[in-house]
Amino acid sequence: MGVDQHREIQELIDVLKRNNLAELEYERDGFRIYVKREAGPGQAAAARDSVPAGLERHAERLADSGPADTVGKVTITSPIVGTFYRSPSPDADPYVEEGDVVKKGQVLCVVEAMKLMNEIESEVDGRIVKILAESTKPVEFGQPLFLIDPAPAP
Amino acid sequence: MGVDQHREIQELIDVLKRNNLAELEYERDGFRIYVKREAGPGQAAAARDSVPAGLERHAERLADSGPADTVGKVTITSPIVGTFYRSPSPDADPYVEEGDVVKKGQVLCVVEAMKLMNEIESEVDGRIVKILAESTKPVEFGQPLFLIDPAPAP
Amino acid sequence: MFKKILIANRGEIALRVIRACKELGIRTVAIHSDVDTNAMHVRAADEHVCIGPAEDALSYRNIPNVLSAAEVTGAEAIHPGYGFLAENAHFAEVCESIGVKFIGPTSENIAVFGDKAKAREILGGRGIPVLPGSPGELRSESEALEAARKIGFPVIIKACAGGGGRGMRVVNKEEELVRAFQAAQTEAKSTFGNEGVYLERYFLEPRHIEVQVLADERGRVVSLGERDCSIQRRYQKLVEETPSPAVDDRLRREIGRVATEVVKAVHYRNAGTVEFLLDKDQNFYFMEVNARIQVEHPVTEMVTGIDLIKEQIRIAAGFPLAFRQQDVRLTGHSFECRINAECPEKFTPCPGLVTRFRPPGGFGVRVDSAMESQSTVVPNYDSLIAKLITHGQNREEAMARMRRALDEFVIEGIKTTIPLHVRIFNDAEFQKGRISTGFLERLLAHDSV
Amino acid sequence: MFKKILIANRGEIALRVIRACKELGIRTVAIHSDVDTNAMHVRAADEHVCIGPAEDALSYRNIPNVLSAAEVTGAEAIHPGYGFLAENAHFAEVCESIGVKFIGPTSENIAVFGDKAKAREILGGRGIPVLPGSPGELRSESEALEAARKIGFPVIIKACAGGGGRGMRVVNKEEELVRAFQAAQTEAKSTFGNEGVYLERYFLEPRHIEVQVLADERGRVVSLGERDCSIQRRYQKLVEETPSPAVDDRLRREIGRVATEVVKAVHYRNAGTVEFLLDKDQNFYFMEVNARIQVEHPVTEMVTGIDLIKEQIRIAAGFPLAFRQQDVRLTGHSFECRINAECPEKFTPCPGLVTRFRPPGGFGVRVDSAMESQSTVVPNYDSLIAKLITHGQNREEAMARMRRALDEFVIEGIKTTIPLHVRIFNDAEFQKGRISTGFLERLLAHDSV
């Protein structure tokens, strides 16, 4: 890289910064440069944002669940594909409610697959902050089911 | 990137901001720029420069012609497609040589098309800095033939 | 065979010709205006020459520069595509005179079919069924009135030098005729530089049926089935199909025979299309000959397997047709959608940067386009940016495939006619094949109700 | 007809099935692993279900999760594509038992052809010409030696449970046999979990010829011509064509008849491929049946016009075949190039971000691919990223079209096998149709010289 091109790149970056641009592409005489700034604070998100659709869906579900901050929380996801049930049978009480304190290994729900009831257990001690799936509805692999605020280690 | 182009880009971005435009595309003499602002305050924007390949080729030819700075010079281009000849016949002397002083309207070369000799005249008074095409070779529309340093207005 | 061909066109048809040349092992020269320097046809060709500025009169229609480009590159032949110089008899003549082969009909062929009223007169005299109409150009109001009474109302006034639907006027009643005649003359003069107009009977709900023909330099002619181009907006075709739902084997043979007679009558050469109007009672009438390859030629290729551009080149190179009429087999059904860079409601052109271009793929889907992601649709030329063609074992399969392909097609950054095509292919009457040249206007009129 | 089908696959074949379903008006459910959340087959389907993590054993081969996905979405049938669960007899059986239609052969069909030595034994007993070989699995070294002496050297040792060329070993001389036998058993055990091996005569310069068949639920069978898949690297097919340059009409009828007998003998259902080895003297020998749709099915579609995926679905839905053997017409010639994300010299996989993907277009060109610009080739699955298929009136035109299309194809960001395909299509021997399964190794060996 010649001194000139080096200077040219610096100039472009200066242009980018001064004008708070996200991306800049420049081409001349076979010389091509593409500059993109990281999304930092106070910056618009890059246009080529590609959160996978599935994870977006989950993110939306989390967002729908209100202002609850997920930082430090544990998300229990479905390990299989099936139908989510909050109680062992239609007439029974739900395994857990929001706000309940749960123990590690405690059954939180069942996911029915191929007529088999698969009990999903809590991975931690803690308190149920939010139930993220709707009873009797299908859930896919990796879909968040519960948000748990883990109890501080004893 | 020349000082002029650098200034030009900055001017365009200023125009964009001043007028609160979302996108701007600008093209002049084979130089083209496209600038887009992100919607909303704290803007990001993408700029895409797409110099057409043909004019790039011309730019290369200019670059090949040595360190001669084209700023302030006049480029005489071919108005037609044909074969470039520096002299009226194979035995004759060239119309002009590099370094010659020429008058506006003086014949600089001929471009033969369909057996017709088309005389190409100087558009300005000045001095031939560089001859950019090779005699007996084809030239296309818009191809630079001569670089002339115009004489200061008398 | 030619070693090098210059393609005097741009866009999808230039790319189409370059592809055929590549498959035949022929070198290609692209020409381009200065706004098309980076266009796909320029990049696809072996050589390229800039022949002028954006205005087509100074570049793509600039005969001296086009011929100079052929001369400096040593091209032995020129393929004109469609539009621009394709039906310019003078250009074809100059090519002939300087020894560059014009890949298309002779200049005489082009001249004959350039004057529509005259062509109809000649062919009517040879027993070809022509639209009932005035014998030739109408010289006066009284001549027009007399002709119209003989034909019977409604009639349509057309410009002799017209084309593409411009300069046409329907007259329903005798008392409207004189005024319409004068207006048509004025419009013909200003649009085509020739005030000549003629009259034809006007049919309600006709179909536009055309027959593809090929004629080699020895005068052997084959017809390659018909195309139904009834889906039009202001005489601009939008969807074409073959075979026509209205044409059975008997009618296909008959109309093919007549088309063959038309081109034989004028010693026509190379590819051409004979256009007919088909009325509700299965009567067909000769309208005109398009002396060029047409936009909609791919549907015929899909059902015959014959590469029409290669055939054009072979014929121009002096090769006899390698097949006879009885060798032509029509297999399955094919549709073409013309995808234009236009607002699909108002049909206003919509040039600009195509930020994303993802063509559909898979079985039975063909895309002819010179676009890709980050291509620019320049405002200087016509708005056709892609032809989407499907083929299926029958009309239902070809239609289902078109719906699927339209759904897959992603073009972002500009507006296109894709939503209109989706509507057409979802329309129950269209699906039943009940179409006529009035179909699209009616479909669009539903919007305003 | 089914209202909703789940596609238990990914990549181009999943998209291929989704396209067929869309054209038939059937709703689709895509399944995907968590690295494929944004894959094209997921976006193309009406519904989608994440069924596991990247490892295929936990996702695309995860039978409980795949069936749960069918259950929760209400899909009535499952199309397995090729690979993954396509030839898993247990999966087909479970589908049958829970009332979800498996779109493919019966679990018994799959089981029969899963044991190659046994299949050969059964069919040999019914008069099908099978490769001279050991009657079944070889139990001991002495059995192997005896069989090899009877067959004559060279022989090839194959794993009973093998496939795709893995676990094969050529033995040229008697003294090499025992050692090779032991090594083959060990390899078969570690690769397939089954140490069973058998022997076949080994032919020099044979062709791999296979016949596409369709069998409906009433037992009616048609054959759809042969495919020549002799261009292989380590038994992995790279280029396929139909018709085979080595097969004439007489041989085509004969081999088609035998293929039909093979599938009738085992009451085979749905689409299948009967693979033969063709020697230099036009003798053909049954090798095996691929009880699934194959990667190379499109070349057959191009020359027959028949959509094989739609036929699979129709057959599974209980419809009888709508055409008979005599209705099948083979028109023109077709090639397929498998474009893999691999370094074209060393064939090492080359996953990564595809920065630009511009498929070729125009007449006679088909692209089956689930890629587009900015797609990612994930390293977890097979490296096939696109199938480029051409069709022409004859072999020469189809080849010229392939060269043109390979030249147009732009894939940036990763390495692909396109340069190798260009070499193959420029090779004089290939152009003359003089190919055998040894062709590619020889072509590649030229590099090292």
Side-chain angles (χ1 to χ4, degrees), chain C residues 87 110-119 137 156-169 184-185 187-200 234-236 275 287-292:
Chain C
E87 287 173 289
I110 297 173
V112 164
F113 291 120
D115 185 337
K116 298 182 183 190
K118 198 171 173 198
E137 185 184 329
I156 184 164
I157 309 177
K158 294 185 178 181
C160 293
R166 289 181 303 174
M168 298 188 184
R169 223 159 257 268
Q185 275 191 326
E187 193 177 320
K189 174 96 182 166
S190 70
T191 312
F192 307 107
N194 172 353
E195 65 167 11
V197 297
Y198 63 102
L199 270 184
E200 280 174 355
R234 299 191 184 165
Y235 301 96
Q236 300 291 331
E275 296 192 333
M287 288 198 295
E288 60 177 293
V289 168
N290 285 164
R292 57 164 196 269

Side-chain angles (χ1 to χ4, degrees), chain B residues 54 57 81 113-115 140-141, chain C residues 37 48-50 52 65 68 71:
Chain B
R57 287 195 310 263
V81 178
M114 310 308 294
K115 314 292 171 215
E140 60 185 351
F141 171 84
Chain C
T37 304
H48 42 85
V49 180
C50 180
N65 274 6
S68 295
E71 193 178 38

Side-chain angles (χ1 to χ4, degrees), chain A residues 90-112:
Chain A
D91 307 324
D93 288 336
Y95 289 103
V96 291
E97 296 284 1
E98 289 180 6
D100 282 4
V101 171
V102 293
K103 286 279 170 201
K104 182 175 173 180
Q106 181 177 336
V107 174
L108 303 178
C109 65
V110 291
V111 176
E112 185 207 325

Side-chain angles (χ1 to χ4, degrees), chain D residues 107-169:
Chain D
S107 55
E108 291 84 7
N109 293 159
I110 297 173
V112 165
F113 292 119
D115 186 336
K116 296 182 186 192
K118 196 169 175 201
R120 226 191 41 188
E121 199 183 333
I122 294 172
L123 294 166
R126 304 210 182 181
I128 304 291
V130 298
L131 273 183
S134 59
E137 186 184 329
L138 296 165
R139 317 240 160 231
S140 67
E141 292 159 19
S142 59
E143 240 184 71
L145 210 52
E146 193 191 336
R149 281 176 187 149
K150 210 165 140 191
I151 297 161
F153 287 89
V155 296
I156 185 164
I157 309 177
K158 294 186 178 181
C160 292
R166 289 181 302 174
M168 297 188 185
R169 222 159 258 266

